[in-house]
Amino acid sequence: LGFEKHDLIGVSGPGASPGWFLGINVTALQKARAADPDAPSPEPRLFPSNYVTCNLVRAQYAFNGRQRCELSLQPGDVIIVHRRWNDGWWEGSRAAYLAPVKNGVQVPRPGGVESSTGGGGGGFVVGGLARGIFPSNYTASNVPTTDPPLFCRKCRSVLPPKAGGGACPECGKNEEIMRTMLNTLDDVAAGLLVPEKGEDGKPKVDLFAHIDVDPSKGRGSLLDRSDVAKDTTVRPRLAV
């Protein structure tokens, strides 16, 4: 299966060889049907699973960004999720448009696929894609439907061929990190571990003391949310 970066692929099932799945290039099909509404659907072809990401959501409602770091959305937008903030706002890049169909006709994206990021909001442009934060309850999650699944239902990471639809290595690593942090707190509570004092003279527990990789020292968010006003708007909820 041929595709370009940020093309949307519809997955139909696993291939005969590990690490390969069958699918169609949805982006190419949409372009073909924009020129010819009767263009036939192609036969699924093989593609390497390690060339794609499945950490995607699809916008269900329109959202107009009001802050510079807020990502404007239209129904049908497909967003690559980079971070999930605890307050319900997620960070992502608008990568594709899955056109809704009304009366047998694809609905074009208002303003075109390449929408403006100017004005008071709309997101930044990073790597050629509009990127910013958006309300997660305006979107529907990507759900695995193939057997075995291409990606983990919980973390949306692509499962390696050896997983065979079993345990997700990424989730296992995250659970081990969490267990290590909890064990550190238990050791402090039991007096088995004495935390060092910080600059303010108060004890400071290093939860990453026994973890090889410290995610807090990795690449941070490109967005500074310190100047974002607290949003109290009532949002529509989704049942997905």
Side-chain angles (χ1 to χ4, degrees), residues 143-157:
V143 178
T145 56
T146 59
D147 186 22
L150 172 62
F151 60 96
C152 173
R153 181 178 294 272
K154 184 178 180 180
C155 71
R156 266 63 184 182
S157 61

Side-chain angles (χ1 to χ4, degrees), residues 122-155:
F124 300 91
V125 177
V126 180
L129 299 179
R131 175 169 175 168
I133 59 172
F134 61 94
S136 59
N137 59 347
Y138 271 49
T139 64
S141 297
N142 192 18
V143 178
T145 56
T146 59
D147 186 22
L150 172 62
F151 60 96
C152 173
R153 181 178 294 272
K154 184 178 180 180
C155 71

Side-chain angles (χ1 to χ4, degrees), residues 12-215:
S12 57
S17 301
W20 290 80
F21 267 68
L22 290 163
I24 64 171
N25 190 324
V26 176
T27 301
L29 179 59
Q30 284 191 326
K31 291 178 180 178
R33 286 185 173 168
D36 179 10
D38 297 324
S41 297
E43 291 293 326
R45 294 181 178 272
L46 291 169
F47 69 93
S49 61
N50 61 339
Y51 272 53
V52 301
T53 178
C54 296
N55 197 5
L56 308 172
V57 294
R58 182 183 180 186
Q60 299 287 87
Y61 306 102
F63 171 71
N64 295 319
R66 293 165 294 180
Q67 306 281 351
R68 182 68 178 88
C69 63
E70 293 181 357
L71 181 65
S72 295
L73 302 174
Q74 291 292 337
D77 283 344
V78 177
I79 307 105
I80 302 174
V81 179
H82 302 301
R83 289 171 182 81
R84 289 173 167 82
W85 306 99
N86 291 333
D87 58 3
W89 286 78
W90 293 355
E91 181 182 341
S93 297
R94 190 175 63 243
Y97 177 66
L98 189 58
V101 177
K102 186 176 182 180
N103 297 326
V105 179
Q106 293 182 1
V107 179
R109 188 180 191 278
V113 176
E114 301 295 335
S115 65
S116 172
T117 58
F124 300 91
V125 177
V126 180
L129 299 179
R131 175 169 175 168
I133 59 172
F134 61 94
S136 59
N137 59 347
Y138 271 49
T139 64
S141 297
N142 192 18
V143 178
T145 56
T146 59
D147 186 22
L150 172 62
F151 60 96
C152 173
R153 181 178 294 272
K154 184 178 180 180
C155 71
R156 266 63 184 182
S157 61
V158 176
L159 294 172
K162 62 182 179 181
C168 172
E170 188 68 24
C171 287
K173 181 176 67 176
N174 292 336
E175 290 172 1
E176 180 61 27
I177 290 175
M178 183 61 67
R179 283 194 295 269
T180 302
M181 289 180 173
L182 293 175
N183 288 338
T184 299
L185 292 175
D186 289 342
D187 289 346
V188 171
L192 301 176
L193 179 65
V194 180
E196 298 180 357
K197 292 185 178 180
E199 296 179 357
D200 56 2
K202 297 180 180 179
K204 182 180 180 181
V205 179
D206 183 5
L207 294 178
F208 295 99
H210 304 291
I211 297 175
D212 293 335
V213 179
D214 182 350

